[in-house]
Amino acid sequence: MNTKSIRLTTAALAATAATAMLVTGCSSNSSSSPSSSAAPTTSASAATSAAPGTAAPAGKSSASVDGNALTADFTTTCAKQGGTLALALTDTGNSTYGQLSVSAAIAGDNTVQAVGIAGSKGGQNGMPYAVGYGNGAPGGSATVTKSGDTYHVTGEGVGAPDLTNPTAGVKNSKFDITFACSSIVGG
């Protein structure tokens, strides 16, 4: 088995977990009155009429991998700390992927540091689902465009290896993610 590909996948998953923790630490799903300061979240379904490779309609968060939309009831959370913007889509009860999270970390205004798409199930041979990208790591690329508080991240990441077939290596997958932020915590 190629230990380099396992390290890359592990690094991408670690980046996903770190981004998700940063963002979920800043979010709240509890009810609050309009005058409270609870962190904003936006719920949006990824089942949209947007064609693969195009941004979702205004105000809608979505994600697709290899041109296939991830059908989910996403909660969108966006938070900024220092020069890093953490973006996350979560669906904790997804029928296909279990606990599904899609995240990206953006440095400055236009450098994608990491992208992670992970599910507690839905991968090959009963394994968890994972696709990740880390800036500087071989096997992927990512770009971001911004329109208001909507971020469109596209690129290619490395998928989790099939542990039942160690000689198969890892699979690269294209991703297309729209994070429609109603507001940005700390931003």
PDB file of all heavy atoms in Angstrom, residues 81-109:
ATOM      1  N   GLN A  81     -11.628  34.068  11.525  1.00  0.00           N
ATOM      2  CA  GLN A  81     -10.746  34.340  12.649  1.00  0.00           C
ATOM      3  C   GLN A  81      -9.391  34.710  12.073  1.00  0.00           C
ATOM      4  O   GLN A  81      -8.801  33.924  11.323  1.00  0.00           O
ATOM      5  CB  GLN A  81     -10.626  33.134  13.578  1.00  0.00           C
ATOM      6  CG  GLN A  81      -9.794  33.424  14.796  1.00  0.00           C
ATOM      7  CD  GLN A  81      -9.813  32.272  15.790  1.00  0.00           C
ATOM      8  OE1 GLN A  81     -10.320  31.200  15.509  1.00  0.00           O
ATOM      9  NE2 GLN A  81      -9.263  32.503  16.948  1.00  0.00           N
ATOM     10  N   GLY A  82      -8.926  35.904  12.406  1.00  0.00           N
ATOM     11  CA  GLY A  82      -7.681  36.378  11.814  1.00  0.00           C
ATOM     12  C   GLY A  82      -7.860  36.473  10.309  1.00  0.00           C
ATOM     13  O   GLY A  82      -8.841  37.005   9.820  1.00  0.00           O
ATOM     14  N   GLY A  83      -6.925  35.921   9.568  1.00  0.00           N
ATOM     15  CA  GLY A  83      -6.998  35.954   8.115  1.00  0.00           C
ATOM     16  C   GLY A  83      -7.580  34.699   7.510  1.00  0.00           C
ATOM     17  O   GLY A  83      -7.481  34.491   6.311  1.00  0.00           O
ATOM     18  N   THR A  84      -8.201  33.834   8.331  1.00  0.00           N
ATOM     19  CA  THR A  84      -8.738  32.575   7.825  1.00  0.00           C
ATOM     20  C   THR A  84     -10.259  32.561   7.905  1.00  0.00           C
ATOM     21  O   THR A  84     -10.841  32.874   8.944  1.00  0.00           O
ATOM     22  CB  THR A  84      -8.180  31.376   8.613  1.00  0.00           C
ATOM     23  OG1 THR A  84      -6.753  31.384   8.511  1.00  0.00           O
ATOM     24  CG2 THR A  84      -8.706  30.061   8.073  1.00  0.00           C
ATOM     25  N   LEU A  85     -10.877  32.188   6.803  1.00  0.00           N
ATOM     26  CA  LEU A  85     -12.319  32.030   6.729  1.00  0.00           C
ATOM     27  C   LEU A  85     -12.625  30.543   6.709  1.00  0.00           C
ATOM     28  O   LEU A  85     -12.111  29.813   5.860  1.00  0.00           O
ATOM     29  CB  LEU A  85     -12.859  32.699   5.459  1.00  0.00           C
ATOM     30  CG  LEU A  85     -14.348  32.556   5.181  1.00  0.00           C
ATOM     31  CD1 LEU A  85     -15.172  33.245   6.274  1.00  0.00           C
ATOM     32  CD2 LEU A  85     -14.672  33.142   3.815  1.00  0.00           C
ATOM     33  N   ALA A  86     -13.427  30.079   7.658  1.00  0.00           N
ATOM     34  CA  ALA A  86     -13.829  28.674   7.728  1.00  0.00           C
ATOM     35  C   ALA A  86     -15.280  28.570   7.274  1.00  0.00           C
ATOM     36  O   ALA A  86     -16.154  29.281   7.778  1.00  0.00           O
ATOM     37  CB  ALA A  86     -13.671  28.147   9.142  1.00  0.00           C
ATOM     38  N   LEU A  87     -15.525  27.707   6.311  1.00  0.00           N
ATOM     39  CA  LEU A  87     -16.856  27.512   5.733  1.00  0.00           C
ATOM     40  C   LEU A  87     -17.262  26.061   5.933  1.00  0.00           C
ATOM     41  O   LEU A  87     -16.439  25.156   5.725  1.00  0.00           O
ATOM     42  CB  LEU A  87     -16.825  27.829   4.238  1.00  0.00           C
ATOM     43  CG  LEU A  87     -16.292  29.210   3.858  1.00  0.00           C
ATOM     44  CD1 LEU A  87     -16.019  29.279   2.357  1.00  0.00           C
ATOM     45  CD2 LEU A  87     -17.275  30.281   4.281  1.00  0.00           C
ATOM     46  N   ALA A  88     -18.503  25.820   6.329  1.00  0.00           N
ATOM     47  CA  ALA A  88     -18.935  24.439   6.543  1.00  0.00           C
ATOM     48  C   ALA A  88     -20.395  24.247   6.173  1.00  0.00           C
ATOM     49  O   ALA A  88     -21.239  25.105   6.424  1.00  0.00           O
ATOM     50  CB  ALA A  88     -18.721  24.037   7.990  1.00  0.00           C
ATOM     51  N   LEU A  89     -20.661  23.099   5.589  1.00  0.00           N
ATOM     52  CA  LEU A  89     -22.011  22.614   5.339  1.00  0.00           C
ATOM     53  C   LEU A  89     -22.129  21.324   6.133  1.00  0.00           C
ATOM     54  O   LEU A  89     -21.245  20.465   6.034  1.00  0.00           O
ATOM     55  CB  LEU A  89     -22.237  22.310   3.854  1.00  0.00           C
ATOM     56  CG  LEU A  89     -21.913  23.395   2.843  1.00  0.00           C
ATOM     57  CD1 LEU A  89     -22.149  22.881   1.421  1.00  0.00           C
ATOM     58  CD2 LEU A  89     -22.739  24.635   3.103  1.00  0.00           C
ATOM     59  N   THR A  90     -23.187  21.168   6.915  1.00  0.00           N
ATOM     60  CA  THR A  90     -23.354  19.939   7.694  1.00  0.00           C
ATOM     61  C   THR A  90     -24.768  19.402   7.552  1.00  0.00           C
ATOM     62  O   THR A  90     -25.728  20.154   7.439  1.00  0.00           O
ATOM     63  CB  THR A  90     -23.047  20.171   9.193  1.00  0.00           C
ATOM     64  OG1 THR A  90     -23.870  21.243   9.674  1.00  0.00           O
ATOM     65  CG2 THR A  90     -21.593  20.528   9.415  1.00  0.00           C
ATOM     66  N   ASP A  91     -24.853  18.094   7.547  1.00  0.00           N
ATOM     67  CA  ASP A  91     -26.119  17.371   7.576  1.00  0.00           C
ATOM     68  C   ASP A  91     -25.871  16.155   8.460  1.00  0.00           C
ATOM     69  O   ASP A  91     -25.229  15.194   8.033  1.00  0.00           O
ATOM     70  CB  ASP A  91     -26.546  16.958   6.168  1.00  0.00           C
ATOM     71  CG  ASP A  91     -27.880  16.211   6.136  1.00  0.00           C
ATOM     72  OD1 ASP A  91     -28.453  15.919   7.213  1.00  0.00           O
ATOM     73  OD2 ASP A  91     -28.361  15.902   5.023  1.00  0.00           O
ATOM     74  N   THR A  92     -26.343  16.212   9.691  1.00  0.00           N
ATOM     75  CA  THR A  92     -26.018  15.152  10.651  1.00  0.00           C
ATOM     76  C   THR A  92     -26.885  13.912  10.517  1.00  0.00           C
ATOM     77  O   THR A  92     -26.607  12.916  11.178  1.00  0.00           O
ATOM     78  CB  THR A  92     -26.114  15.677  12.097  1.00  0.00           C
ATOM     79  OG1 THR A  92     -27.444  16.160  12.325  1.00  0.00           O
ATOM     80  CG2 THR A  92     -25.108  16.797  12.333  1.00  0.00           C
ATOM     81  N   GLY A  93     -27.888  13.943   9.677  1.00  0.00           N
ATOM     82  CA  GLY A  93     -28.747  12.778   9.509  1.00  0.00           C
ATOM     83  C   GLY A  93     -28.945  12.409   8.061  1.00  0.00           C
ATOM     84  O   GLY A  93     -30.048  12.042   7.654  1.00  0.00           O
ATOM     85  N   ASN A  94     -27.890  12.452   7.273  1.00  0.00           N
ATOM     86  CA  ASN A  94     -27.999  12.175   5.850  1.00  0.00           C
ATOM     87  C   ASN A  94     -28.217  10.688   5.613  1.00  0.00           C
ATOM     88  O   ASN A  94     -27.489   9.860   6.156  1.00  0.00           O
ATOM     89  CB  ASN A  94     -26.730  12.655   5.136  1.00  0.00           C
ATOM     90  CG  ASN A  94     -26.875  12.615   3.635  1.00  0.00           C
ATOM     91  OD1 ASN A  94     -26.712  11.579   3.028  1.00  0.00           O
ATOM     92  ND2 ASN A  94     -27.186  13.770   3.055  1.00  0.00           N
ATOM     93  N   SER A  95     -29.210  10.348   4.798  1.00  0.00           N
ATOM     94  CA  SER A  95     -29.537   8.930   4.575  1.00  0.00           C
ATOM     95  C   SER A  95     -28.436   8.181   3.830  1.00  0.00           C
ATOM     96  O   SER A  95     -28.234   6.995   4.047  1.00  0.00           O
ATOM     97  CB  SER A  95     -30.858   8.806   3.819  1.00  0.00           C
ATOM     98  OG  SER A  95     -30.768   9.437   2.560  1.00  0.00           O
ATOM     99  N   THR A  96     -27.685   8.849   2.981  1.00  0.00           N
ATOM    100  CA  THR A  96     -26.632   8.193   2.213  1.00  0.00           C
ATOM    101  C   THR A  96     -25.284   8.222   2.926  1.00  0.00           C
ATOM    102  O   THR A  96     -24.565   7.227   2.953  1.00  0.00           O
ATOM    103  CB  THR A  96     -26.468   8.858   0.832  1.00  0.00           C
ATOM    104  OG1 THR A  96     -27.727   8.809   0.155  1.00  0.00           O
ATOM    105  CG2 THR A  96     -25.408   8.158  -0.007  1.00  0.00           C
ATOM    106  N   TYR A  97     -24.941   9.373   3.525  1.00  0.00           N
ATOM    107  CA  TYR A  97     -23.594   9.562   4.081  1.00  0.00           C
ATOM    108  C   TYR A  97     -23.545   9.645   5.600  1.00  0.00           C
ATOM    109  O   TYR A  97     -22.478   9.895   6.170  1.00  0.00           O
ATOM    110  CB  TYR A  97     -22.961  10.824   3.480  1.00  0.00           C
ATOM    111  CG  TYR A  97     -22.821  10.725   1.981  1.00  0.00           C
ATOM    112  CD1 TYR A  97     -23.710  11.377   1.131  1.00  0.00           C
ATOM    113  CD2 TYR A  97     -21.817   9.951   1.411  1.00  0.00           C
ATOM    114  CE1 TYR A  97     -23.598  11.266  -0.241  1.00  0.00           C
ATOM    115  CE2 TYR A  97     -21.698   9.841   0.036  1.00  0.00           C
ATOM    116  CZ  TYR A  97     -22.595  10.491  -0.783  1.00  0.00           C
ATOM    117  OH  TYR A  97     -22.472  10.376  -2.148  1.00  0.00           O
ATOM    118  N   GLY A  98     -24.650   9.466   6.276  1.00  0.00           N
ATOM    119  CA  GLY A  98     -24.660   9.545   7.741  1.00  0.00           C
ATOM    120  C   GLY A  98     -24.406  10.966   8.194  1.00  0.00           C
ATOM    121  O   GLY A  98     -25.127  11.882   7.832  1.00  0.00           O
ATOM    122  N   GLN A  99     -23.366  11.169   8.967  1.00  0.00           N
ATOM    123  CA  GLN A  99     -22.982  12.515   9.386  1.00  0.00           C
ATOM    124  C   GLN A  99     -22.097  13.094   8.290  1.00  0.00           C
ATOM    125  O   GLN A  99     -20.926  12.769   8.200  1.00  0.00           O
ATOM    126  CB  GLN A  99     -22.261  12.472  10.719  1.00  0.00           C
ATOM    127  CG  GLN A  99     -23.176  12.032  11.838  1.00  0.00           C
ATOM    128  CD  GLN A  99     -22.526  12.135  13.197  1.00  0.00           C
ATOM    129  OE1 GLN A  99     -21.484  12.740  13.358  1.00  0.00           O
ATOM    130  NE2 GLN A  99     -23.165  11.537  14.168  1.00  0.00           N
ATOM    131  N   LEU A 100     -22.685  13.966   7.480  1.00  0.00           N
ATOM    132  CA  LEU A 100     -22.009  14.520   6.308  1.00  0.00           C
ATOM    133  C   LEU A 100     -21.527  15.927   6.603  1.00  0.00           C
ATOM    134  O   LEU A 100     -22.281  16.752   7.110  1.00  0.00           O
ATOM    135  CB  LEU A 100     -22.977  14.549   5.118  1.00  0.00           C
ATOM    136  CG  LEU A 100     -22.488  15.189   3.821  1.00  0.00           C
ATOM    137  CD1 LEU A 100     -21.287  14.432   3.240  1.00  0.00           C
ATOM    138  CD2 LEU A 100     -23.630  15.238   2.802  1.00  0.00           C
ATOM    139  N   SER A 101     -20.254  16.190   6.306  1.00  0.00           N
ATOM    140  CA  SER A 101     -19.731  17.548   6.440  1.00  0.00           C
ATOM    141  C   SER A 101     -18.909  17.899   5.206  1.00  0.00           C
ATOM    142  O   SER A 101     -18.198  17.067   4.657  1.00  0.00           O
ATOM    143  CB  SER A 101     -18.879  17.699   7.699  1.00  0.00           C
ATOM    144  OG  SER A 101     -17.712  16.925   7.594  1.00  0.00           O
ATOM    145  N   VAL A 102     -19.075  19.139   4.775  1.00  0.00           N
ATOM    146  CA  VAL A 102     -18.335  19.676   3.646  1.00  0.00           C
ATOM    147  C   VAL A 102     -17.723  20.972   4.153  1.00  0.00           C
ATOM    148  O   VAL A 102     -18.438  21.828   4.669  1.00  0.00           O
ATOM    149  CB  VAL A 102     -19.276  19.965   2.445  1.00  0.00           C
ATOM    150  CG1 VAL A 102     -18.501  20.570   1.291  1.00  0.00           C
ATOM    151  CG2 VAL A 102     -20.014  18.706   2.024  1.00  0.00           C
ATOM    152  N   SER A 103     -16.409  21.100   4.069  1.00  0.00           N
ATOM    153  CA  SER A 103     -15.781  22.298   4.638  1.00  0.00           C
ATOM    154  C   SER A 103     -14.648  22.798   3.759  1.00  0.00           C
ATOM    155  O   SER A 103     -14.084  22.067   2.954  1.00  0.00           O
ATOM    156  CB  SER A 103     -15.253  21.998   6.038  1.00  0.00           C
ATOM    157  OG  SER A 103     -14.274  20.978   5.985  1.00  0.00           O
ATOM    158  N   ALA A 104     -14.338  24.074   3.959  1.00  0.00           N
ATOM    159  CA  ALA A 104     -13.209  24.692   3.263  1.00  0.00           C
ATOM    160  C   ALA A 104     -12.617  25.751   4.176  1.00  0.00           C
ATOM    161  O   ALA A 104     -13.335  26.409   4.929  1.00  0.00           O
ATOM    162  CB  ALA A 104     -13.654  25.320   1.946  1.00  0.00           C
ATOM    163  N   ALA A 105     -11.314  25.903   4.095  1.00  0.00           N
ATOM    164  CA  ALA A 105     -10.606  26.959   4.812  1.00  0.00           C
ATOM    165  C   ALA A 105      -9.964  27.856   3.763  1.00  0.00           C
ATOM    166  O   ALA A 105      -9.225  27.382   2.894  1.00  0.00           O
ATOM    167  CB  ALA A 105      -9.554  26.381   5.743  1.00  0.00           C
ATOM    168  N   ILE A 106     -10.266  29.158   3.851  1.00  0.00           N
ATOM    169  CA  ILE A 106      -9.778  30.133   2.883  1.00  0.00           C
ATOM    170  C   ILE A 106      -8.856  31.098   3.610  1.00  0.00           C
ATOM    171  O   ILE A 106      -9.243  31.693   4.619  1.00  0.00           O
ATOM    172  CB  ILE A 106     -10.937  30.943   2.249  1.00  0.00           C
ATOM    173  CG1 ILE A 106     -12.086  30.039   1.775  1.00  0.00           C
ATOM    174  CG2 ILE A 106     -10.421  31.854   1.149  1.00  0.00           C
ATOM    175  CD1 ILE A 106     -11.751  29.086   0.681  1.00  0.00           C
ATOM    176  N   ALA A 107      -7.632  31.249   3.115  1.00  0.00           N
ATOM    177  CA  ALA A 107      -6.681  32.205   3.691  1.00  0.00           C
ATOM    178  C   ALA A 107      -6.705  33.478   2.861  1.00  0.00           C
ATOM    179  O   ALA A 107      -6.733  33.415   1.630  1.00  0.00           O
ATOM    180  CB  ALA A 107      -5.272  31.618   3.710  1.00  0.00           C
ATOM    181  N   GLY A 108      -6.701  34.609   3.547  1.00  0.00           N
ATOM    182  CA  GLY A 108      -6.781  35.873   2.819  1.00  0.00           C
ATOM    183  C   GLY A 108      -8.096  35.936   2.073  1.00  0.00           C
ATOM    184  O   GLY A 108      -9.133  35.521   2.578  1.00  0.00           O
ATOM    185  N   ASP A 109      -8.069  36.446   0.871  1.00  0.00           N
ATOM    186  CA  ASP A 109      -9.296  36.541   0.090  1.00  0.00           C
ATOM    187  C   ASP A 109      -9.445  35.462  -0.956  1.00  0.00           C
ATOM    188  O   ASP A 109     -10.536  35.237  -1.461  1.00  0.00           O
ATOM    189  CB  ASP A 109      -9.367  37.909  -0.616  1.00  0.00           C
ATOM    190  CG  ASP A 109      -9.650  39.031   0.343  1.00  0.00           C
ATOM    191  OD1 ASP A 109     -10.274  38.785   1.392  1.00  0.00           O
ATOM    192  OD2 ASP A 109      -9.244  40.168   0.044  1.00  0.00           O
TER     193      ASP A 109
END
